[in-house]
């Protein structure tokens, strides 16, 4: 029987592990398919406080894990395949084995949606990004492209005009899911050029490990052309990893966990941390902060139950 099982080993899960380990709760962290979480996909992280020269994403999460392990946190490779939160202790199925626990911290993140091109996948962290706040700064006076037609694409494109000399916004249709106000703002921004009814067929630069351009196709005219690009931002949404909690943990229509205040979910003893609940900030530091909150709440809950 475990005191705490933490689902996910990104910034939120690792921070929750550090705090619960230092509270002597001997937490078990289930790493998931993407050990280290989203930061393991990227290169330089310049906005996590404490590293004046920046730090590589994979090193940052590896350090967090080491720090948690130093205080007794245990890590289990594998994925949570099923859960039963209707009983106490709660039950969690990891790769076929059921684990029982008094509390759960869900830190399973939200995965960025990508276009799915092989070249795009190879260049993530090398000019391909899903986060303007994280990576916009690297593209001062450079040529930037944003893909998407929703609010987040408009927001990212507007934000990126602070850095880039030009921002091309590529959208496969001529109609937008974005709200009128966000679209209007982008349309009136002189640095943003709209490429409508257009798709990206390939991202160039794999050989040099740095984005250098893209091949585009106009779906109406079938015209194909190349465009030089330095920073390529995909803004077509995120998928919260909550499928295994469906019907038990309350989520919004997009699958993000609905917070009941602090780190609490609709089930007492089950807490949320990080991007799995946060559709607004989605940063390493906010996820780490949320991991700390969840750990403190789990510890106080266990204390109140006499454990
Ligand atoms: C390319 C890229 C660059 C970024 N750069 C920056 C940056 O420079 N600065 C910054 O602040 N932020 C950056 N971010 C955002 C930052 O990475 C996220 O905000 C942060 O990682 C969220 O942490 P998290 O722990 O909530 O979730 P995640 O990092 O997404 O971790 C989720 C974890 O849950 C696990 N998991 C999922 N489902 C299951 C399951 N069923 N069973 C078990 N485990 C499961 C996964 O394996 C993973 O370990 C970047 C993101 C990307 C994609």
């Amino acid at each position: 029987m475990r005191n705490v099982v933490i689902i996910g080993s990104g910034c939120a899960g690792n921070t929750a592990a550090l705090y619960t380990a230092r509270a002597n709760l001997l937490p078990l962290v289930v790493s998931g398919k993407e050990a280290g979480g989203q930061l393991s996909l990227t290169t330089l992280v310049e906005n996590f406080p404490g590293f004046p020269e920046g730090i590589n994403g994979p090193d940052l999460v590896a350090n967090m894990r080491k720090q948690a392990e130093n205080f007794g946190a245990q890590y289990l490779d594998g994925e949570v395949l099923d859960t039963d939160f209707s009983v106490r202790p709660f039950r969690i199925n990891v790769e076929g084995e059921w684990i029982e626990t008094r509390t759960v911290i869900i830190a399973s993140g939200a995965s960025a949606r990508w276009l799915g091109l092989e070249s795009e996948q190879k260049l993530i962290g090398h000019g391909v990004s899903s986060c303007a706040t994280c990576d916009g700064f690297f593209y001062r006076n450079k040529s930037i492209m944003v893909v998407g037609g929703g609010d987040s694409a408009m927001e990212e494109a507007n934000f990126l005009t602070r850095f880039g000399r030009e921002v091309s916004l590529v959208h496969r249709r001529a109609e937008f899911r974005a709200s009128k106000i966000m679209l209007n703002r982008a349309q009136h921004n002189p640095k943003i050029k709209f490429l409508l009814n257009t798709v990206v067929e390939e991202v160039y630069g794999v050989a040099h490990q740095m984005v250098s351009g893209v091949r585009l196709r106009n779906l109406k005219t079938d015209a194909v052309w190349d465009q030089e690009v330095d920073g390529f931002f995909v803004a077509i949404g995120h998928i919260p990893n909550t499928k295994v909690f469906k019907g038990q943990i309350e989520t919004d229509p997009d699958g993000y966990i609905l917070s009941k205040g602090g780190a609490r979910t609709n089930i007492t003893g089950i807490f949320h941390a990080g991007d799995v609940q946060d559709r607004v900030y989605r940063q390493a530091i906010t996820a780490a902060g949320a991991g700390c909150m969840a750990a403190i709440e789990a510890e106080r809950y266990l204390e109140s139950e006499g454990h």
Side-chain angles (χ1 to χ4, degrees), residues 115-121 123 145 147 170 172 195 197-206 213-227 229 232 234:
L115 299 177
L117 303 169
E118 203 180 320
S119 50
E120 165 210 57
Q121 292 298 298
L123 288 165
M145 182 167 278
V147 182
V170 176
R172 56 183 306 125
L195 295 169
N197 298 310
T198 299
V199 292
V200 177
E201 291 193 328
E202 186 162 3
V203 186
Y204 297 128
V206 173
V214 294
R215 185 173 74 238
L216 297 158
R217 179 184 294 272
N218 184 302
L219 295 173
K220 284 263 152 82
T221 63
D222 230 20
V224 175
W225 71 103
D226 288 346
Q227 183 167 323
V229 168
F232 184 74
V234 181

Side-chain angles (χ1 to χ4, degrees), residues 7-13 30-39 41-42 44-47 78-81 107-110 112 114 124-125 128-131 134-135 241 244 273-276 282-285 287:
I7 302 174
S9 57
C11 300
V30 186
S31 296
K33 266 196 206 143
E34 196 176 77
Q38 293 172 65
L39 278 194
L41 296 177
T42 193
L44 191 62
V45 175
E46 290 191 326
N47 56 6
E79 213 183 342
V80 171
L81 302 178
S108 48
W114 300 101
I124 292 172
V128 171
S129 175
S130 60
C131 175
C134 311
D135 296 330
N241 300 314
V244 287
D275 284 15
V276 71
R282 293 201 282 249
Q283 294 296 292
I285 187 67

Side-chain angles (χ1 to χ4, degrees), residues 76-109:
L76 182 62
D77 288 338
E79 213 183 342
V80 171
L81 302 178
D82 198 2
T83 50
D84 185 357
F85 295 157
S86 65
V87 291
R88 286 177 196 249
F90 302 120
R91 297 176 74 232
I92 294 178
N93 185 321
V94 183
E95 306 285 346
E97 295 278 325
W98 285 96
I99 296 169
E100 293 189 335
T101 181
R102 295 187 177 98
T103 65
V104 181
I105 295 176
I106 301 175
S108 48

Side-chain angles (χ1 to χ4, degrees), residues 170-190:
V170 176
H171 181 41
R172 56 183 306 125
R173 282 183 282 276
E175 304 77 39
F176 292 88
R177 265 183 304 109
S179 57
K180 248 192 191 146
I181 182 166
M182 294 299 293
L183 179 60
N184 229 338
R185 204 172 291 160
Q187 284 170 331
H188 286 93
N189 188 322

